[in-house]
Amino acid sequence: RYLTVVLLLVGLVSQHSLVAEQTGADDISNPTRQTTLLNSDWRFELDGTIEGQDPNLDDSQWLPLRLPHTWNTEDSFDEDPGYRRNASWYRRNLVTPENLGDEHLYLRFEGVNQRAEVYVNGQLATHHVGGYTAFVCDITSLLNPTPGASNLIAVRVDNSWDPDVPPIAKINFTIYGGIYRNVHLLRVDPVHIAVNDFASPGVFIDTLLVTRKEACVRIRGLVENQDASSHDCTVINTILSPEGREVGSARTELTIPETGRSEFETTVGLQETPQLWSPDNAVLYRVKTEVLVEGIVRDLVTNDFGIRWFHFDPEQGFILNGEHLYLKGTNRHQDREGFGNALTDEQHREDLELIKQMGANFLRLGHYPQAPAVLDSADKLGLLLWEEIPVLTRISESDAFRQNSLHMLEEMIKQHFNHPSIIVWGSMNEIFLRNGDGTRSEPSEAYSAKVSKLAHDLDARIRQLDPGRVSTMAFHDSRQYDKLSMLDIPQLVAFNRYFGWYGGGLSSFGRELDRQHQAGPERPLFISEYGAGSDRRLNSIDPQRMDFTNSYQQAFAEGHLRQIKERPYLSGAAWWNQFDFGNPYNQDTIPGINQKGLMYFDRTPKDTYYLFQANFSDEPVLHIASRDWPIRIAYPSPKSNDSAEPPFEHAIKVYSNADSVELVVNGTSVGSRQPDDVCAATWKVPLQEGVNQIAAQAKFDEKIVSDEMEIESRGMPTNLAKEGDPFDALYVNVGSHVEFRDHKDHIWIPDQSYQSGGWGHVAGKPRELSAEGSRKSVDVFNTDEDPLYQSFLVGINQYRFDLPDGRYRVTLKMNDYENSDPATRVFDIKVNNEPVVENLDLAMQADKQTALVTEHVVEVSEGKGLIVDFVPVAGEPVLSGISVVRET
Ligand code: GCB
């Protein structure tokens, strides 16, 4: 038999469309089963309405591509509302191997979002719903049996919204369509470990007993016989230590009926003191499972596992291997700038490494099962995982929705059962955020009862499928949970909390946790989400809730870390989210992106990443937390009407886990500080106008660690006309308290009302305050300066600059996203009494959500300064930004 297989391999390599792209070590030692990556040589057609499965259809004009692939990398972020949720086709040829004999070929899809129909030579091989779990189909009988024959694999993929397929919430994240994970071809003997038992590995390993001294490993599995006659077979399970030593084995005899399956179960006592798996010591054991018939190996698979035990305690938190371990956590969505959800295994691994390097030991895979590469990396890096199914925000009341949810749950648990990294299975997230119809109205009793019933059923299924792990749900602040006693359903109660962001004050976070702890002292608690968004272009010396400044994200994160640390009963907390991620529903300062990441969508770290690293990691961390605020504006004291004179005072913050940090500004030490309880140290330091060299230094044992950056300080002109105060330019973010840095590094400074000798607006008030402060989360078209346009002054009469004489260019930036009715807001603009724009009707001229820019060059003379008048014709004038630049 081995000889035959070697020949087979040679045969395979000569077939072009079936060249093994990736052959793991397992395959070399495992001639009975071959796994070939089928990512190359696909062709793609966007139009899903055609009969793409038809072998006679000419696909020579289709787009050639390599998987992973999604068709939504761009459209979810462009200015057209929505993104393509529809069907498309993928096709590929597959050559019938030589000497296939009685072996079987299976296709394995790691993830297709979100409905897939797989055809082979025009015949339906399988269909699958759910975009986040793997599926497998046997294609042997549909192939042309002639060796060397070409077979057509066609896959229709559909990501359109389907009320029966979770997730049905449209508001949380982008549902990118495509075959966005790997595809494999499996070739197996007719007698093999089952490959299509919920696309699981077919072998399930857990530990029935673990102490520091001994471990008892349970190995269960399913063997499939696709022969027409029954077989007596022997299953040999061998446990290999992390070093590859044999440390236990068991033989099981099985009779498998023709075209049937048989289960086996065995327990093996480990013949060594167990090496326990933990975040600090992520050691993996391996089970080698061989299936023999008449002494000949017919299948061989290996599965890694880890030996550890854990529980959650309502008072003491999380206990791993008998020791308390605080869960330092974060969340991850799987998409990335420029790639959508179609990441390579390497990119998945990079993400997990970034999380590990931050010092986290816990990761919630919010909100769906993730790629095998993610799970494997977590096992190897030592990251504890929460994995969940995408039942979030609301449910459908249909039976199909319920069945699909239960099916996905079973797929997830069976597929990922052997990963030691997983400790909790999640079944629902904020399920009462919306009603069944997507609105926020009060849910009917019938709907609530359905939700509660599904919650019970999912939770029961978790406990039944995997009693060795813990069930959980992420709750939010809805009264429904208490009303329906839903907090009593899961074994771990987790909350998503956004105090100080969507509402409430920062300190409500801890108070509310304490209240929950008292209300249910028997429930272990976890924070599954807390987070605030930021934008590298926005900063403020007076940061406020939902202003998307880095300064606020930092303050929010520091405030939460502090409150979390003060509560030892809490098992841990996970920041939402490690990475900015795609969500067309978020129209914040970067449209289509949820900006709560500790890293940008392209994985550049924000300053806040280092706050977490300093708090979480045992490695030396020292970071000047101003990478996203490299240009500082020097504000004079509010009472002074004079220009601020250099040197200006600025707050410079360092995140470090050192005992003491020294800050050096332009070569001079400004002193050493002890970082506070959340590893932040702040100095008020004088900066010279222009570029300043900032350095921080700390000693870790005997090792000196340093960080350096340049910070530019710019004076803010106040008394513009003052002699000897040369005026160059001024950019104002009208109606806002926030500094906005544009592409050219101009800082659009916060607005102020006019004072004689200086500058500012006359009359007008910021647009009505909403949950987001004076700005509103809205996509402003024709610009990427969205935050500048999102806040504006309403009812402005004048903008004045008491400039010295000279020639200036005045730029006005406007839009009126709130008003689309023509003729209700019309105004004229005059610059130094000259009409420059007449009857400006923003609703008419620029469509309400479109940025409108006007520019005017003006000669200022006779010391009269610059006055821009906004003269109402109908309604109240508005203004978002104004700049005045001296013309040379
Ligand atoms: C939540 C949701 C998550 C959102 C997040 C947010 O509670 O579970 O899907 O992305 O809030 O950023 O609002």
Side-chain angles (χ1 to χ4, degrees):
R1 169 156 217 108
Y2 282 140
L3 188 69
T4 330
V5 174
V6 172
L7 288 176
L8 275 179
L9 276 174
V10 174
L12 275 185
V13 173
S14 64
Q15 303 292 342
H16 264 309
S17 45
L18 218 158
V19 169
E21 296 170 43
Q22 196 186 53
T23 317
D26 288 355
D27 300 317
I28 293 162
S29 63
N30 179 10
T32 61
R33 178 187 278 228
Q34 291 161 26
T35 306
T36 311
L37 193 64
L38 279 198
N39 282 359
S40 65
D41 298 325
W42 290 84
R43 296 176 298 283
F44 174 73
E45 167 56 47
L46 200 65
D47 181 1
T49 62
I50 58 170
E51 298 291 314
Q53 77 277 26
D54 182 355
N56 297 319
L57 188 85
D58 176 13
D59 62 13
S60 56
Q61 299 307 309
W62 290 25
L63 180 72
L65 56 78
R66 191 186 158 81
L67 304 178
H69 172 258
T70 170
W71 58 77
N72 295 118
T73 41
E74 305 297 333
D75 64 349
S76 151
F77 309 99
D78 62 23
E79 290 184 342
D80 292 332
Y83 61 107
R84 184 171 181 273
R85 295 196 68 175
N86 214 321
S88 291
W89 282 98
Y90 292 83
R91 304 209 327 182
R92 184 194 201 282
N93 292 333
L94 186 69
V95 173
T96 306
E98 305 285 339
N99 305 323
L100 188 61
D102 56 359
E103 288 179 289
H104 281 250
L105 291 182
Y106 286 86
L107 290 177
R108 180 183 173 86
F109 293 83
E110 287 183 4
V112 179
N113 220 343
Q114 61 176 354
R115 299 185 80 102
E117 288 164 19
V118 181
Y119 297 86
V120 178
N121 295 328
Q123 305 280 314
L124 184 67
T126 196
H127 62 90
H128 181 260
V129 299
Y132 305 96
T133 41
F135 61 95
V136 166
C137 61
D138 186 346
I139 57 170
T140 321
S141 65
L142 300 176
L143 293 176
N144 179 337
T146 312
S150 181
N151 300 277
L152 176 70
I153 311 290
V155 189
R156 185 172 189 270
V157 181
D158 189 349
N159 71 334
S160 35
W161 185 78
D162 182 334
D164 293 333
V165 182
I168 57 164
K170 297 177 190 162
I171 60 169
N172 293 72
F173 53 91
T174 309
I175 315 289
Y176 303 90
I179 307 183
Y180 75 102
R181 289 185 189 158
N182 301 326
V183 179
H184 305 270
L185 180 72
L186 304 183
R187 178 173 177 163
V188 292
D189 187 280
V191 179
H192 57 264
I193 301 287
V195 297
N196 60 1
D197 175 28
F198 289 82
S200 72
V203 175
F204 304 96
I205 308 157
D206 53 6
T207 42
L208 294 182
L209 165 102
V210 190
T211 68
R212 298 211 156 270
K213 296 209 176 99
E214 56 182 332
C216 182
V217 181
R218 177 169 66 166
I219 306 162
R220 289 172 293 160
L222 195 60
V223 185
E224 176 145 8
N225 172 19
Q226 291 181 303
D227 271 344
S229 54
S230 79
H231 285 297
D232 291 330
C233 61
T234 308
V235 179
I236 304 177
N237 283 292
T238 312
I239 303 183
L240 302 170
S241 75
E243 301 78 23
R245 265 180 295 114
E246 197 178 314
V247 288
S249 71
R251 282 173 87 94
T252 320
E253 304 299 334
L254 277 186
T255 301
I256 321 176
E258 66 272 18
T259 60
R261 294 166 158 197
S262 293
E263 289 176 7
F264 67 85
E265 174 167 345
T266 180
T267 47
V268 186
L270 203 71
Q271 293 160 6
E272 70 166 12
T273 310
Q275 305 178 52
L276 298 179
W277 186 98
S278 73
D280 288 339
N281 189 34
V283 278
L284 295 176
Y285 283 81
R286 175 169 285 193
V287 170
K288 182 170 79 173
T289 308
E290 292 162 283
V291 181
L292 290 81
V293 178
E294 292 168 5
I296 294 177
V297 179
R298 305 291 287 267
D299 196 11
L300 182 159
V301 296
T302 60
N303 283 283
D304 290 346
F305 74 104
I307 301 180
R308 83 275 181 278
W309 79 97
F310 66 87
H311 72 280
F312 286 88
D313 182 275
E315 284 303 327
Q316 289 167 33
F318 180 67
I319 313 289
L320 179 68
N321 300 330
E323 283 170 24
H324 175 256
L325 182 73
Y326 173 69
L327 295 175
K328 301 179 280 190
T330 183
N331 283 268
R332 176 191 188 244
H333 264 299
Q334 64 184 2
D335 56 343
R336 190 190 275 216
E337 184 169 334
F339 298 90
N341 58 352
L343 269 59
T344 61
D345 286 355
E346 193 46 43
Q347 288 173 316
H348 287 300
R349 283 192 284 270
E350 266 170 31
D351 278 4
L352 267 76
E353 273 157 20
L354 291 168
I355 291 167
K356 180 74 181 180
Q357 279 157 20
M358 191 175 80
N361 58 19
F362 181 92
L363 174 63
R364 173 172 176 237
L365 303 178
H367 291 301
Y368 39 76
Q370 298 197 5
V374 172
L375 284 290
D376 289 340
S377 302
D379 288 348
K380 289 184 185 135
L381 292 168
L383 281 166
L384 294 153
L385 296 182
W386 157 329
E387 192 167 41
E388 67 190 20
I389 52 168
V391 177
L392 68 157
T393 305
R394 62 186 173 114
I395 68 161
S396 281
E397 295 180 65
S398 68
D399 193 52
F401 182 87
R402 191 189 130 71
Q403 292 306 338
N404 286 334
S405 306
L406 284 159
H407 190 83
M408 270 178 204
L409 187 78
E410 189 152 353
E411 288 179 319
M412 171 178 78
I413 294 178
K414 289 195 162 162
Q415 290 173 16
H416 297 157
F417 188 87
N418 295 332
H419 291 281
S421 48
I422 298 176
I423 51 171
V424 275
W425 298 118
S427 58
M428 284 183 166
N429 177 76
E430 302 195 349
I431 205 62
F432 279 110
L433 191 64
R434 292 284 188 278
N435 201 345
D437 57 9
T439 66
R440 283 183 179 271
S441 58
E442 184 75 12
S444 69
E445 281 202 6
Y447 176 78
S448 297
K450 284 245 173 176
V451 174
S452 170
K453 167 91 173 73
L454 183 60
H456 278 281
D457 290 352
L458 291 170
D459 192 80
R461 184 65 66 89
I462 294 175
R463 296 190 197 209
Q464 175 217 340
L465 289 168
D466 191 0
R469 291 188 173 93
V470 164
S471 67
T472 193
M473 284 176 203
F475 298 101
H476 74 300
D477 57 350
S478 160
R479 284 181 299 124
Q480 298 301 322
Y481 303 121
D482 275 335
K483 233 164 111 184
L484 297 158
S485 301
M486 280 179 64
L487 298 185
D488 293 326
I489 299 175
Q491 291 163 296
L492 175 66
V493 172
F495 292 106
N496 297 348
R497 287 291 183 241
Y498 289 92
F499 291 109
W501 185 249
Y502 292 124
L506 274 184
S507 59
S508 308
F509 173 78
R511 277 203 301 275
E512 172 59 17
L513 259 174
D514 293 342
R515 195 185 68 74
Q516 288 293 353
H517 182 48
Q518 278 153 20
E522 71 292 351
R523 298 180 192 133
L525 296 184
F526 185 76
I527 293 293
S528 32
E529 292 180 25
Y530 66 107
S534 73
D535 179 330
R536 47 160 66 89
R537 302 167 299 176
L538 301 175
N539 276 292
S540 174
I541 53 166
D542 178 25
Q544 292 167 24
R545 186 168 76 79
M546 286 198 85
D547 64 10
F548 287 87
T549 59
N550 298 294
S551 338
Y552 191 77
Q553 193 190 45
Q554 292 179 22
F556 178 98
E558 290 166 26
H560 277 73
L561 283 174
R562 185 167 288 122
Q563 295 176 76
I564 289 165
K565 282 188 177 176
E566 287 163 355
R567 291 174 170 78
Y569 61 81
L570 196 63
S571 35
W575 176 268
W576 185 264
N577 192 286
Q578 184 70 21
F579 308 108
D580 284 0
F581 62 91
N583 178 16
Y585 183 79
N586 279 103
Q587 300 299 346
D588 296 324
T589 63
I590 309 171
I593 303 279
N594 184 314
Q595 299 167 230
K596 297 192 186 71
L598 299 176
M599 308 184 101
Y600 291 100
F601 202 22
D602 67 357
R603 279 39 182 169
T604 307
K606 301 182 184 180
D607 286 318
T608 327
Y609 175 89
Y610 299 95
L611 166 69
F612 281 84
Q613 195 178 40
N615 280 276
F616 285 178
S617 175
D618 297 328
E619 298 297 315
V621 178
L622 181 73
H623 175 82
I624 301 167
S626 203
R627 294 307 196 282
D628 286 328
W629 202 4
I631 301 170
R632 300 292 186 86
I633 300 299
Y635 298 98
S637 89
K639 290 199 189 83
S640 149
N641 198 22
D642 290 338
S643 294
E645 297 292 343
F648 311 114
E649 286 247 297
H650 292 269
I652 294 188
K653 195 190 314 180
V654 171
Y655 289 138
S656 178
N657 50 5
D659 295 335
S660 170
V661 177
E662 184 182 15
L663 194 74
V664 179
V665 176
N666 296 323
T668 306
S669 172
V670 292
S672 292
R673 290 256 146 101
Q674 185 187 358
D676 66 13
D677 52 343
V678 291
C679 303
T682 306
W683 289 256
K684 280 258 180 187
V685 298
L687 297 186
Q688 294 300 332
E689 184 144 27
V691 173
N692 294 263
Q693 306 295 334
I694 312 295
Q697 269 195 6
K699 224 170 158 185
F700 293 86
D701 296 326
E702 284 318 299
K703 194 171 153 207
I704 308 256
V705 174
S706 58
D707 186 30
E708 283 172 20
M709 72 172 289
E710 289 184 347
I711 294 184
E712 185 184 337
S713 171
R714 292 186 191 166
M716 182 172 107
T718 45
N719 192 335
L720 305 182
K722 200 176 154 201
E723 224 177 309
D725 186 2
F727 178 88
D728 184 24
L730 193 56
Y731 301 83
V732 186
N733 186 1
V734 178
S736 175
H737 69 284
V738 165
E739 292 172 11
F740 171 74
R741 175 156 56 105
D742 72 14
H743 281 311
K744 295 184 176 153
D745 275 351
H746 300 137
I747 309 294
W748 295 72
I749 58 176
D751 197 12
Q752 64 179 23
S753 53
Y754 170 74
Q755 291 177 3
S756 170
W759 56 274
H761 61 258
V762 176
K765 54 182 182 353
R767 66 172 281 278
E768 210 171 302
L769 287 186
S770 69
E772 296 120 44
S774 64
R775 53 167 283 284
K776 184 174 176 183
S777 289
V778 57
D779 189 356
V780 182
F781 301 153
N782 215 13
T783 181
D784 57 7
E785 297 183 331
D786 294 73
L788 195 60
Y789 290 93
Q790 287 174 341
S791 50
F792 53 72
L793 277 189
V794 185
I796 182 169
N797 283 352
Q798 286 184 334
Y799 220 98
R800 297 188 62 161
F801 299 86
D802 290 348
L803 294 166
D805 290 354
R807 200 176 152 79
Y808 298 93
R809 177 176 298 269
V810 183
T811 305
L812 304 174
K813 302 203 172 192
M814 292 164 279
N815 91 110
D816 187 11
Y817 53 77
E818 296 199 309
N819 176 39
S820 52
D821 301 331
T824 54
R825 191 192 299 287
V826 183
F827 53 97
D828 299 337
I829 302 174
K830 292 184 194 165
V831 176
N832 279 0
N833 253 334
E834 279 294 314
V836 291
V837 180
E838 287 191 341
N839 284 317
L840 177 62
D841 186 340
L842 288 171
M844 288 291 287
Q845 304 209 7
D847 184 23
K848 63 168 186 161
Q849 257 170 270
T850 304
L852 184 84
V853 180
T854 67
E855 283 197 337
H856 319 281
V857 174
V858 57
E859 202 73 50
V860 171
S861 58
E862 298 169 25
K864 286 186 181 154
L866 173 70
I867 301 177
V868 183
D869 283 297
F870 299 84
V871 188
V873 178
E876 295 177 303
V878 292
L879 181 66
S880 300
I882 185 167
S883 67
V884 29
V885 181
R886 187 190 280 275
E887 290 264 286
T888 45

